[in-house]
Amino acid sequence: YRKVQNAEFRTQNGSSHSAHRTLHTAIRTGFSLFEVVLVLAIIGILMVISVPSFRRATEQSHADIAGANLRALWSAERFYWLDNRQYTGNLSDMQSLLDPSIAAASTPYVYTIHGVDSNTFTATATRVSGSAWAGQFTIDQTGTMTGSIQASGQTAIVPGFQ
């Protein structure tokens, strides 16, 4: 604060008079507590609004990756069939054709192959538990992909391409 003594003041009609009291004029050097709390409240509201959209977008990207990995499994099975005239139910048989993360289950999805014989197979990507989202995607020997994942109160998510 800066003290002002014996200052001259002008009234609205233009006349002046002298003041013998001490006035304090504030020199601002920062933000008030109210301003900081207000800004934090606004940021908090924006976060509450945006976080569900961000989570859904993240889950959609995981679903798209799972769909792409199922397509890779489908292609690997087709190559395996060309060499052996049968499909395989073992991911390690196609290890040279697949991304290692698919067989290692290091993604949010676990991949399995079942219903295997010389002419058919079904590969499944199941969402790992521990997430609010649950479900699975499947692809068969014809390349037809089905399935979805869903969380409580949310609409179902399917891979972005079919």
Side-chain angles (χ1 to χ4, degrees), residues 52-129:
S53 297
F54 176 74
R55 286 185 180 159
R56 182 170 177 81
T58 301
E59 197 59 44
Q60 180 67 56
S61 69
H62 289 308
D64 292 343
I65 292 169
N69 287 342
L70 283 176
R71 286 277 180 210
L73 275 170
W74 177 78
S75 295
E77 282 282 8
R78 303 286 290 177
F79 280 118
Y80 187 88
W81 188 89
L82 289 172
D83 288 341
N84 302 294
R85 296 294 179 210
Q86 66 179 5
Y87 294 112
T88 181
N90 190 350
L91 290 172
S92 62
D93 290 344
M94 300 179 291
Q95 190 172 8
S96 64
L97 300 171
L98 295 173
D99 181 7
S101 68
I102 295 173
S106 62
T107 64
Y109 289 84
V110 174
Y111 300 92
T112 56
I113 302 171
H114 50 85
V116 178
D117 63 25
S118 62
N119 295 316
T120 62
F121 76 91
T122 303
T124 304
T126 305
R127 184 68 171 100
V128 177
S129 63

Side-chain angles (χ1 to χ4, degrees), residues 105-161:
S106 62
T107 64
Y109 289 84
V110 174
Y111 300 92
T112 56
I113 302 171
H114 50 85
V116 178
D117 63 25
S118 62
N119 295 316
T120 62
F121 76 91
T122 303
T124 304
T126 305
R127 184 68 171 100
V128 177
S129 63
S131 170
W133 297 88
Q136 65 183 15
F137 306 116
T138 59
I139 193 167
D140 63 12
Q141 72 281 351
T142 64
T144 303
M145 192 176 305
T146 59
S148 66
I149 59 170
Q150 192 165 5
S152 178
Q154 298 283 331
T155 57
I157 290 178
V158 297
F161 56 91

